[in-house]
């Protein structure tokens, strides 16, 4: 049995209370930055396209202050555009398509810690066409 490096997950399993976009920024490749390369942006290892980090606030009221903000990486040839904010607010509710998690171990520090890296194929506004309800039926 081969375990995939990137494990597919459902958006609603990772963000059961939803998520809000805080911003989108390029992901820099540390080795390219260190070498002084003119374009240090990370490229996706599978597709070769640019990688962007979408800063997201987890809407779970029980999320700890330090872990409520996460980054979801999206490979795309151009910077992904976040959904429009809810009228009268700065909140940008979002859903991620093709969400995967990749476990990793942080060996720096006194004790190793397990982390999860989130990646997605894309993002869309909440309630956009194609959304499915919990039992898999197409949403009305």
């Amino acid at each position: 049995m081969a375990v995939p490096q990137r494990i597919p997950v459902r958006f609603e399993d990772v963000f059961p209370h939803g998520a809000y976009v805080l911003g989108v920024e390029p992901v820099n490749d540390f080795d390219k930055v260190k070498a002084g390369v003119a374009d240090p942006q990370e490229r996706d290892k599978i597709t070769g396209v640019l990688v962007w980090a979408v800063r997201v606030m987890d809407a779970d009221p029980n999320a700890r202050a330090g872990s409520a903000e996460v980054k979801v990486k999206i490979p795309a040839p151009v910077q992904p555009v976040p959904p429009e904010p809810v009228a009268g607010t700065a909140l940008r509710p979002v859903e991620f398509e093709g969400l995967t998690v990749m476990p990793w171990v942080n060996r720096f520090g006194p004790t190793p810690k397990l982390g999860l890296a989130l990646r997605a194929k894309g993002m869309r506004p909440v309630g956009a066409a194609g959304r499915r309800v919990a039992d898999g039926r197409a949403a009305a």
Side-chain angles (χ1 to χ4, degrees):
M1 176 176 99
V3 177
Q5 194 174 28
R6 295 178 183 169
I7 303 165
V9 293
R10 297 180 330 149
F11 172 81
E12 49 274 359
D13 290 334
V14 178
F15 299 104
H17 296 276
Y20 300 101
V21 173
L22 299 174
V24 180
E25 55 201 32
V27 176
N28 285 333
D29 182 314
F30 176 76
D31 292 328
K32 288 181 180 178
V33 171
K34 190 174 173 183
V37 175
D39 178 14
Q41 190 167 357
E42 182 180 316
R43 306 266 193 239
D44 183 74
K45 290 173 178 57
I46 296 171
T47 64
V49 299
L50 299 170
V51 178
W52 305 88
V54 181
R55 294 180 34 246
V56 177
M57 179 65 67
D58 186 346
D60 184 347
N62 296 317
R64 295 184 312 207
S67 66
E69 183 179 327
V70 297
K71 290 185 180 179
V72 178
K73 291 183 179 180
I74 297 179
V78 296
Q79 183 172 348
V81 178
E84 289 298 316
V86 173
T89 74
L91 299 175
R92 296 173 181 265
V94 68
E95 289 183 349
F96 291 98
E97 303 169 304
L99 194 60
T100 62
V101 296
M102 186 168 71
W104 58 278
V105 177
N106 181 355
R107 292 188 175 101
F108 298 103
T111 32
K113 294 181 183 177
L114 177 66
L116 296 173
L118 297 170
R119 292 182 85 89
K121 291 181 180 175
M123 66 177 160
R124 65 178 178 228
V126 171
R131 183 172 178 211
R132 302 210 167 258
V133 292
D135 66 0
R137 293 178 293 116

